[in-house]
Amino acid sequence: MAKTKELSKDTRNKIVDLHQAGKTESAIGKQLGLKKSTVGAIIRKWKTYKTTDNLPRSWAPRKISLRGVKMITGTVSKNPRATRGDLVNDLRRAGTKVAKPTISNTLRRQGLKSCIARCVPRLKRVHVQARLKFAREHLDDPEEDWENVVWSDETKIYIFGKNSTRCVWRTKNAELHPKNTIPTVKIGGGNIMLWGCFSAKGPGRLIRVKERMNGAMYREILSKNLLPSARALKMKRGWVFQHDNDPKHTARATKEWLGKKHFKVLKWPSQSPDLNPIENLWRELKVRVAQQQPQNITALEEICMEEWAKIPATVCENLVKTYRKRLTSVIANKGYITKY
């Protein structure tokens, strides 16, 4: 049956006025173009409650008791990866039978929702301590110091990517708590691999790495691209080079080569992608590439180069200008991975 339109307050009050004037329900209905049953319901409501306003509705009782709510919120607090099926079974064993949507609605009212777990690097205690030390040591560095850094990294870009996801129950802004993340390690795979660098003045060179990279190849990449990038970006005297602690980067031969070239290298804490602003540029590049929908490797490489060159210098400048916020976030998060 279709839901009827609710009468306006004026119409309901007019029904009462006509009733008090001595008119019958049939006469009122005929005059106002309403059903007799509708008129009768309004009059009975007025006689009972002395008002025609909508009364507070009585809702059905919750299917899950307060004790049950505490039980399932406690479960997902200890184990955010618990599924709705797990929680349904827990309540069934406790004598309460509910469906999965009821679990979702109940937890949502407690400020919890099912979200895809973020993938972050696996952090050992030594990594956490090193990250905190780095953040504290550089917290008061002037903005000009970060503007004189050439940031670098490698990334892999896929034509068609499949991401493994897993849901966890968490509160707002808790996506990076260790319990709510999936630790990852660096592994091979991907369609093309890129090396790139940038500074506050804009993107530097971007090249495709066509073979499996080793220490010798990495040094060759730096030899052909690092200094030309620094010159093109018009870096000031004494500029600093940043790269992470990949074994190719920290190999003795690489360190000796960097020393012979008199490059200043920023001492970097391991497992810290959130501290490297180039990660944001990679994300920017991948979004731009995905919008172009390349269909093969050749097109993918061409689009990567074109879109990298189009990234505005202001984007790079803003990433470096806000670097202190990254450091304060690491300290506030006690050394664990932060948003980036």
Side-chain angles (χ1 to χ4, degrees), residues 38-90:
T38 302
V39 173
I42 295 297
I43 293 173
R44 286 192 298 274
K45 183 177 183 180
W46 176 77
K47 287 181 177 179
T48 304
Y49 300 105
K50 301 303 179 184
T51 182
T52 60
D53 293 340
N54 290 329
L55 301 173
R57 289 166 171 76
S58 58
W59 302 100
R62 304 288 188 194
K63 286 192 174 182
I64 303 178
S65 66
L66 182 60
R67 184 176 180 180
V69 172
K70 289 182 177 179
M71 182 180 76
I72 63 174
T73 53
T75 298
V76 299
S77 176
K78 294 176 183 177
N79 178 22
R81 297 175 188 174
T83 66
R84 292 188 302 173
D86 295 334
L87 300 176
V88 166
N89 292 334
D90 289 345

Side-chain angles (χ1 to χ4, degrees), residues 115-269:
C115 306
I116 295 173
R118 290 276 293 272
C119 294
V120 300
R122 186 182 297 276
L123 295 182
K124 298 180 181 178
R125 186 170 182 177
V126 64
H127 297 140
V128 174
Q129 292 174 343
R131 286 165 51 79
L132 276 173
K133 182 181 178 182
F134 178 88
R136 287 167 178 161
E137 287 180 350
H138 294 283
L139 185 60
D140 296 322
D141 288 359
E143 186 178 310
E144 293 76 17
D145 286 3
W146 299 118
E147 291 176 353
N148 211 31
V149 175
V150 174
W151 308 88
S152 73
D153 196 19
E154 300 90 26
T155 193
K156 292 167 186 173
I157 297 189
Y158 301 79
I159 297 179
F160 306 105
K162 291 184 179 180
N163 298 315
S164 176
T165 59
R166 190 166 184 175
C167 290
V168 295
W169 294 99
R170 62 170 175 81
T171 55
K172 187 178 180 181
N173 297 327
E175 70 269 26
L176 292 171
H177 190 283
K179 292 194 301 183
N180 300 332
T181 60
I182 298 176
T184 61
V185 295
K186 293 184 177 181
I187 58 174
N191 288 30
I192 66 171
M193 184 174 185
L194 302 171
W195 176 92
C197 64
F198 90 104
S199 79
K201 296 181 179 179
R205 288 194 176 183
L206 180 73
I207 65 159
R208 178 186 171 189
V209 182
K210 294 185 178 181
E211 300 176 17
R212 187 186 179 99
M213 186 187 290
N214 55 28
M217 183 182 295
Y218 179 66
R219 292 189 293 276
E220 183 179 354
I221 289 172
L222 296 184
S223 176
K224 293 181 178 179
N225 298 280
L226 179 55
L227 191 56
S229 292
R231 287 172 178 162
L233 294 169
K234 297 180 181 179
M235 302 300 293
K236 296 179 181 178
R237 184 182 296 274
W239 60 272
V240 177
F241 174 55
Q242 180 278 335
H243 61 179
D244 60 26
N245 293 334
D246 184 282
K248 297 181 289 294
H249 305 174
T250 58
R252 179 184 298 177
T254 302
K255 289 182 177 180
E256 291 176 352
W257 183 87
L258 290 167
K260 289 179 181 178
K261 298 294 183 180
H262 304 291
F263 289 132
K264 292 183 180 180
V265 180
L266 181 63
K267 189 175 181 180
W268 193 252

Side-chain angles (χ1 to χ4, degrees), residues 321-340:
K321 186 178 292 185
T322 57
Y323 193 74
R324 191 175 189 274
K325 290 183 180 179
R326 295 175 186 261
L327 302 177
T328 56
S329 294
V330 168
I331 294 172
N333 210 32
K334 299 179 180 179
Y336 286 96
I337 297 294
T338 61
K339 288 183 179 181
Y340 61 94

Side-chain angles (χ1 to χ4, degrees), residues 10 22 25 40 56 62 64 96 177-178 201 210 230 269-270 283 290 298 305 325:
D10 290 341
E25 294 178 2
R62 304 288 188 194
I64 303 178
T96 302
H177 190 283
K201 296 181 179 179
K210 294 185 178 181
S270 297
R283 187 181 300 120
T298 302
M305 301 303 169
K325 290 183 180 179

